[in-house]
Amino acid sequence: MGVAGHLRLKTYALIALLILFGPFGDLLMSKGMRGIAIPASLRIGAIAHYVYLVFTSPLVWCGTFCMIGFFVCYISVLSWADYSYVQPATALTYGAVALLGKYILGDKITFLHWMGILVVCVGVAFIGYTSPATAEPPFSPPPLGEGPLR
Amino acid sequence: MTTQIALLIFIVVGGTFGEMCVTRAMKIIGEVKDFTPRGLLRTGRRAFKIGWMWLGFFLMALSYFALLGMLARADVSFVIPVTSLGYVVGAIGGRWFLGEDVSYHRWIGVLLVCFGVYLIFVGRS
């Protein structure tokens, strides 16, 4: 496999991880937090107990792990791939959210909603047709003057 | 109404520009090749020495608070489709701020994604 093929494969792999980590992080965090009762009073003891429950919830920890995974994958893929390539591709998370909602939470998905997901997928396929990194390596951003913002 | 328009503009333009600043910082660092925890920490340390990264996070945080403020004022089924305009801003910014080659195929893809996100939120049950 050539350098371009390797780069494309690496980009697809990280975008696939983004699409998994993002919705799973939201879902686990949401389920974890909803399972913990909000303290009835603002007493230190009640708040400390609430914080203890949050920090000992496996769902919250799994959700946090997924969110960190999402963030790491996102900034890593942006180190070589175009922003205008990665950003719209992350819209596939809408499809993942709908599938998770339908098969895990039992949500009802309307026809128009499915059509929207289909249009997003077609859009991402168009973007996937282009090269993930269009700047010649090593990438050199256009200069914007001197100072800390180089 | 003016506050809502200002918030929406900030969410779309500010948030997207914040992400582009982060992209710029990561492009300065170069391709991440070491995905071990130690390698990722090293990359993180290098990234936070670059001003663009801090500016990006600052704008993304402000945009997030603007989104919360907007969601308190308007329906989510209105707010989220409007924020999908960030994909268009991202394509324009990618071309002019990051020097990316945004071809016709990519433009068609971006516009389809925007339309798809609009349909998803219009079609919410």
Coordinates of all heavy atoms in Angstrom, one line a residue, chain B residues 43-103:
Chain B
T43 N 2.6 14.6 22.6 CA 1.9 15.4 21.6 C 1.1 16.5 22.2 O 1.1 17.6 21.8 CB 1.0 14.5 20.7 OG1 1.8 13.5 20.1 CG2 0.4 15.4 19.6
G44 N 0.3 16.1 23.3 CA -0.5 17.1 24.0 C 0.4 18.2 24.6 O 0.0 19.4 24.5
R45 N 1.5 17.8 25.2 CA 2.4 18.9 25.8 C 2.9 19.8 24.7 O 2.9 21.0 24.9 CB 3.6 18.2 26.5 CG 3.3 17.8 27.9 CD 4.6 17.7 28.7 NE 5.5 16.7 28.2 CZ 5.4 15.4 28.5 NH1 4.6 15.0 29.4 NH2 6.3 14.5 28.0
R46 N 3.2 19.3 23.6 CA 3.7 20.1 22.5 C 2.6 21.0 22.0 O 2.8 22.2 21.7 CB 4.3 19.3 21.3 CG 5.6 18.6 21.6 CD 6.0 17.8 20.5 NE 6.2 18.5 19.2 CZ 6.2 18.0 18.0 NH1 6.0 16.7 17.8 NH2 6.4 18.8 17.0
A47 N 1.4 20.4 21.9 CA 0.3 21.2 21.3 C -0.1 22.4 22.2 O -0.3 23.5 21.6 CB -0.9 20.3 21.2
F48 N 0.0 22.2 23.5 CA -0.4 23.3 24.4 C 0.7 24.4 24.5 O 0.6 25.3 25.3 CB -0.9 22.8 25.7 CG -2.3 22.3 25.6 CD1 -2.5 21.0 25.5 CD2 -3.3 23.2 25.6 CE1 -3.9 20.5 25.4 CE2 -4.6 22.8 25.4 CZ -4.9 21.4 25.3
K49 N 1.8 24.2 23.8 CA 2.8 25.3 23.7 C 2.5 26.2 22.6 O 3.2 27.2 22.4 CB 4.2 24.7 23.6 CG 4.7 24.1 24.9 CD 6.1 23.5 24.7 CE 6.5 22.8 26.0 NZ 7.6 21.9 25.8
I50 N 1.5 25.9 21.8 CA 1.2 26.7 20.6 C 0.0 27.6 20.9 O -1.0 27.1 21.4 CB 1.0 25.8 19.4 CG1 2.2 25.0 19.1 CG2 0.5 26.6 18.1 CD1 2.0 23.9 18.1
G51 N 0.1 28.9 20.6 CA -0.9 29.8 20.9 C -2.3 29.5 20.2 O -3.3 29.7 20.8
W52 N -2.2 29.0 19.0 CA -3.4 28.7 18.2 C -4.3 27.7 19.0 O -5.5 27.7 19.0 CB -3.1 28.1 16.9 CG -2.6 29.1 15.9 CD1 -1.3 29.1 15.4 CD2 -3.3 30.2 15.3 NE1 -1.2 30.2 14.5 CE2 -2.4 30.8 14.5 CE3 -4.6 30.7 15.5 CZ2 -2.8 32.0 13.8 CZ3 -4.9 31.8 14.8 CH2 -4.0 32.5 14.0
M53 N -3.6 26.7 19.7 CA -4.4 25.7 20.5 C -5.2 26.4 21.6 O -6.4 26.1 21.8 CB -3.4 24.7 21.0 CG -4.0 23.5 21.7 SD -5.0 22.6 20.5 CE -4.1 21.1 20.3
W54 N -4.6 27.3 22.3 CA -5.2 28.0 23.4 C -6.4 28.8 22.9 O -7.5 28.9 23.4 CB -4.3 28.9 24.2 CG -3.3 28.1 25.0 CD1 -2.0 27.8 24.7 CD2 -3.6 27.4 26.2 NE1 -1.5 26.9 25.7 CE2 -2.5 26.7 26.7 CE3 -4.8 27.3 27.0 CZ2 -2.4 26.0 27.8 CZ3 -4.7 26.5 28.2 CH2 -3.5 25.9 28.6
L55 N -6.1 29.6 21.8 CA -7.2 30.4 21.2 C -8.3 29.5 20.7 O -9.5 29.9 20.9 CB -6.6 31.2 20.0 CG -7.6 32.1 19.2 CD1 -8.1 33.2 20.2 CD2 -6.9 32.7 18.0
G56 N -8.0 28.4 20.1 CA -9.0 27.4 19.6 C -9.9 27.0 20.8 O -11.1 27.0 20.7
F57 N -9.3 26.5 21.9 CA -10.0 26.0 23.0 C -10.9 27.2 23.6 O -12.0 26.9 24.0 CB -9.1 25.4 24.1 CG -8.8 24.0 23.8 CD1 -7.7 23.6 23.2 CD2 -9.8 23.0 24.2 CE1 -7.5 22.3 22.9 CE2 -9.5 21.7 24.0 CZ -8.4 21.3 23.3
F58 N -10.3 28.3 23.7 CA -11.1 29.5 24.2 C -12.3 29.7 23.4 O -13.5 29.9 24.0 CB -10.2 30.7 24.2 CG -10.8 32.0 24.8 CD1 -11.2 32.1 26.1 CD2 -11.1 33.0 23.9 CE1 -11.8 33.2 26.6 CE2 -11.7 34.2 24.4 CZ -12.1 34.3 25.7
L59 N -12.2 29.8 22.1 CA -13.3 30.1 21.2 C -14.4 28.9 21.3 O -15.6 29.1 21.3 CB -12.9 30.3 19.8 CG -12.2 31.6 19.5 CD1 -11.6 31.6 18.1 CD2 -13.1 32.7 19.7
M60 N -13.8 27.7 21.3 CA -14.8 26.5 21.4 C -15.6 26.6 22.7 O -16.7 26.2 22.7 CB -14.0 25.2 21.3 CG -13.6 24.9 19.9 SD -12.2 23.7 19.7 CE -13.0 22.2 20.3
A61 N -14.9 26.9 23.8 CA -15.6 27.0 25.1 C -16.7 28.1 25.0 O -17.8 27.9 25.5 CB -14.6 27.3 26.2
L62 N -16.3 29.3 24.5 CA -17.3 30.4 24.4 C -18.5 30.0 23.5 O -19.6 30.3 23.8 CB -16.6 31.6 23.8 CG -15.7 32.4 24.7 CD1 -15.3 33.7 23.9 CD2 -16.4 32.9 26.0
S63 N -18.1 29.3 22.4 CA -19.2 28.8 21.5 C -20.1 27.8 22.2 O -21.3 27.8 22.0 CB -18.5 28.2 20.3 OG -19.5 27.4 19.6
Y64 N -19.5 27.0 23.1 CA -20.4 26.0 23.8 C -21.3 26.8 24.8 O -22.5 26.4 24.8 CB -19.4 25.1 24.6 CG -20.2 24.1 25.4 CD1 -20.9 23.0 24.8 CD2 -20.2 24.2 26.8 CE1 -21.5 22.1 25.6 CE2 -20.9 23.2 27.6 CZ -21.6 22.2 27.0 OH -22.3 21.3 27.7
F65 N -20.8 27.8 25.5 CA -21.7 28.5 26.3 C -22.7 29.3 25.6 O -23.9 29.5 26.0 CB -20.9 29.5 27.2 CG -20.1 28.8 28.3 CD1 -18.7 28.8 28.3 CD2 -20.7 28.0 29.2 CE1 -18.0 28.1 29.3 CE2 -20.0 27.3 30.2 CZ -18.7 27.4 30.2
A66 N -22.4 29.8 24.4 CA -23.3 30.5 23.5 C -24.4 29.5 23.1 O -25.6 29.8 23.0 CB -22.6 31.1 22.3
L67 N -24.0 28.2 22.8 CA -25.0 27.2 22.4 C -26.0 27.0 23.6 O -27.2 26.9 23.4 CB -24.3 25.9 22.0 CG -25.2 24.7 21.6 CD1 -25.9 25.0 20.4 CD2 -24.3 23.5 21.5
L68 N -25.4 26.9 24.8 CA -26.3 26.6 26.0 C -27.3 27.8 26.1 O -28.5 27.6 26.4 CB -25.5 26.5 27.3 CG -24.6 25.3 27.4 CD1 -23.9 25.3 28.7 CD2 -25.4 24.0 27.3
G69 N -26.8 29.1 25.9 CA -27.6 30.2 26.0 C -28.7 30.2 24.9 O -29.8 30.6 25.2
M70 N -28.3 29.8 23.7 CA -29.3 29.7 22.6 C -30.3 28.7 22.9 O -31.5 28.9 22.6 CB -28.5 29.4 21.3 CG -29.3 29.6 20.1 SD -29.9 31.3 19.9 CE -31.3 31.0 18.9
L71 N -29.9 27.5 23.4 CA -30.9 26.4 23.7 C -31.9 26.8 24.8 O -33.0 26.3 24.8 CB -30.1 25.2 24.1 CG -29.4 24.5 22.9 CD1 -28.6 23.3 23.5 CD2 -30.4 23.9 21.9
A72 N -31.5 27.8 25.6 CA -32.4 28.3 26.6 C -33.4 29.2 26.0 O -34.5 29.5 26.6 CB -31.6 29.0 27.8
R73 N -33.1 29.7 24.8 CA -34.0 30.7 24.2 C -34.9 30.2 23.1 O -35.9 30.7 22.8 CB -33.2 31.9 23.7 CG -32.6 32.8 24.7 CD -31.7 33.8 24.1 NE -31.4 34.9 25.0 CZ -30.4 34.8 26.0 NH1 -29.8 33.6 26.1 NH2 -30.2 35.8 26.8
A74 N -34.3 29.1 22.4 CA -35.0 28.6 21.2 C -35.1 27.1 21.2 O -34.3 26.5 22.0 CB -34.3 29.1 20.0
D75 N -35.9 26.5 20.4 CA -36.1 25.1 20.3 C -34.9 24.4 19.7 O -34.3 25.0 18.8 CB -37.3 24.8 19.5 CG -37.9 23.5 19.7 OD1 -37.9 23.0 20.9 OD2 -38.3 22.8 18.7
V76 N -34.5 23.2 20.2 CA -33.3 22.5 19.7 C -33.5 22.2 18.2 O -32.5 22.1 17.4 CB -33.1 21.3 20.6 CG1 -34.1 20.2 20.4 CG2 -31.7 20.7 20.2
S77 N -34.8 21.9 17.8 CA -35.0 21.6 16.4 C -34.8 22.8 15.5 O -34.8 22.6 14.2 CB -36.4 21.0 16.2 OG -37.4 21.9 16.6
F78 N -34.7 23.9 16.0 CA -34.3 25.1 15.2 C -32.8 25.4 15.3 O -32.2 25.6 14.3 CB -35.1 26.3 15.7 CG -34.5 27.7 15.2 CD1 -34.7 28.0 13.9 CD2 -33.8 28.5 16.1 CE1 -34.2 29.2 13.4 CE2 -33.3 29.7 15.6 CZ -33.5 30.1 14.3
V79 N -32.3 25.2 16.5 CA -30.9 25.6 16.8 C -29.9 24.7 16.0 O -29.0 25.1 15.3 CB -30.5 25.6 18.3 CG1 -29.1 25.9 18.5 CG2 -31.4 26.6 19.0
I80 N -30.1 23.3 16.1 CA -29.1 22.4 15.6 C -29.0 22.5 14.1 O -27.9 22.5 13.5 CB -29.4 21.0 16.1 CG1 -29.3 20.9 17.6 CG2 -28.4 20.0 15.5 CD1 -28.0 21.3 18.2
P81 N -30.2 22.5 13.3 CA -30.0 22.7 11.9 C -29.3 24.0 11.5 O -28.5 23.9 10.5 CB -31.5 22.7 11.4 CG -32.3 22.0 12.4 CD -31.6 22.3 13.7
V82 N -29.5 25.0 12.2 CA -28.8 26.3 11.9 C -27.3 26.1 12.1 O -26.5 26.6 11.3 CB -29.4 27.5 12.7 CG1 -28.6 28.7 12.5 CG2 -30.8 27.7 12.3
T83 N -27.0 25.4 13.2 CA -25.5 25.3 13.5 C -24.8 24.4 12.4 O -23.6 24.4 12.4 CB -25.3 24.6 14.9 OG1 -25.9 23.4 15.0 CG2 -25.8 25.5 16.0
S84 N -25.6 23.6 11.7 CA -25.0 22.8 10.6 C -24.4 23.7 9.5 O -23.6 23.2 8.7 CB -26.0 21.9 10.0 OG -26.9 22.6 9.2
L85 N -24.7 25.0 9.6 CA -24.1 26.0 8.6 C -22.5 26.0 8.9 O -21.8 26.5 8.1 CB -24.7 27.4 8.8 CG -26.1 27.5 8.2 CD1 -26.6 28.9 8.5 CD2 -26.1 27.3 6.7
G86 N -22.2 25.5 10.1 CA -20.7 25.4 10.5 C -20.0 24.6 9.4 O -18.8 24.9 9.2
Y87 N -20.6 23.7 8.8 CA -19.9 22.9 7.8 C -19.5 23.7 6.6 O -18.5 23.6 6.0 CB -20.8 21.7 7.3 CG -21.1 20.7 8.4 CD1 -22.5 20.5 8.7 CD2 -20.1 20.1 9.1 CE1 -22.8 19.6 9.8 CE2 -20.5 19.2 10.1 CZ -21.8 19.0 10.5 OH -22.1 18.1 11.5
V88 N -20.4 24.7 6.2 CA -20.1 25.6 5.1 C -19.0 26.6 5.5 O -18.0 26.8 4.8 CB -21.4 26.4 4.7 CG1 -21.0 27.5 3.7 CG2 -22.5 25.5 4.2
V89 N -19.1 27.1 6.8 CA -18.0 28.0 7.3 C -16.7 27.2 7.3 O -15.6 27.7 7.0 CB -18.4 28.5 8.7 CG1 -17.3 29.3 9.3 CG2 -19.7 29.3 8.6
G90 N -16.8 25.9 7.7 CA -15.6 25.1 7.8 C -14.9 24.9 6.4 O -13.7 24.9 6.3
A91 N -15.7 24.7 5.4 CA -15.2 24.6 4.0 C -14.5 25.9 3.6 O -13.4 25.9 3.0 CB -16.3 24.1 3.1
I92 N -15.2 27.0 3.8 CA -14.6 28.3 3.4 C -13.3 28.6 4.2 O -12.3 28.9 3.6 CB -15.7 29.4 3.7 CG1 -16.9 29.2 2.8 CG2 -15.0 30.8 3.4 CD1 -18.1 30.1 3.2
G93 N -13.4 28.3 5.5 CA -12.2 28.5 6.4 C -11.1 27.6 6.0 O -9.9 28.0 6.1
G94 N -11.5 26.3 5.7 CA -10.4 25.4 5.3 C -9.7 25.9 4.1 O -8.4 25.7 4.0
R95 N -10.4 26.5 3.2 CA -9.7 27.0 2.0 C -8.9 28.2 2.3 O -7.7 28.3 1.9 CB -10.8 27.4 1.0 CG -10.4 28.1 -0.3 CD -9.6 27.2 -1.2 NE -9.1 27.9 -2.3 CZ -7.9 28.5 -2.3 NH1 -7.2 28.5 -1.2 NH2 -7.4 29.1 -3.4
W96 N -9.4 29.2 3.0 CA -8.7 30.5 3.2 C -7.8 30.6 4.4 O -6.9 31.3 4.4 CB -9.8 31.6 3.2 CG -10.5 31.7 2.0 CD1 -11.8 31.4 1.7 CD2 -10.0 32.2 0.7 NE1 -12.1 31.6 0.4 CE2 -11.0 32.1 -0.3 CE3 -8.7 32.7 0.3 CZ2 -10.8 32.4 -1.6 CZ3 -8.6 33.1 -1.0 CH2 -9.6 32.9 -1.9
F97 N -8.2 29.8 5.5 CA -7.4 29.9 6.7 C -6.3 28.8 6.8 O -5.3 29.0 7.3 CB -8.3 29.9 7.9 CG -7.7 30.0 9.2 CD1 -7.0 31.3 9.6 CD2 -7.6 29.0 10.2 CE1 -6.4 31.4 10.8 CE2 -7.0 29.2 11.4 CZ -6.4 30.4 11.7
L98 N -6.7 27.6 6.2 CA -5.8 26.5 6.4 C -5.1 26.1 5.0 O -4.3 25.2 5.0 CB -6.5 25.3 7.0 CG -7.1 25.5 8.4 CD1 -8.1 24.4 8.8 CD2 -6.0 25.6 9.4
G99 N -5.5 26.8 4.0 CA -4.9 26.5 2.7 C -5.3 25.1 2.1 O -4.5 24.5 1.3
E100 N -6.5 24.6 2.4 CA -6.9 23.3 1.9 C -7.5 23.5 0.5 O -8.0 24.5 0.1 CB -7.9 22.7 2.8 CG -7.3 22.4 4.2 CD -8.3 22.0 5.2 OE1 -9.5 21.9 4.9 OE2 -7.9 21.8 6.4
D101 N -7.4 22.4 -0.3 CA -8.0 22.4 -1.6 C -9.4 21.9 -1.5 O -9.6 20.7 -1.4 CB -7.1 21.5 -2.5 CG -7.8 21.4 -3.9 OD1 -8.6 22.3 -4.3 OD2 -7.4 20.5 -4.7
V102 N -10.4 22.8 -1.5 CA -11.8 22.4 -1.3 C -12.4 22.3 -2.7 O -12.8 23.2 -3.4 CB -12.6 23.4 -0.5 CG1 -14.0 22.9 -0.2 CG2 -11.9 23.6 0.9
S103 N -12.4 21.0 -3.2 CA -12.8 20.8 -4.6 C -14.4 20.8 -4.7 O -15.1 20.9 -3.7 CB -12.3 19.4 -5.1 OG -12.9 18.4 -4.2

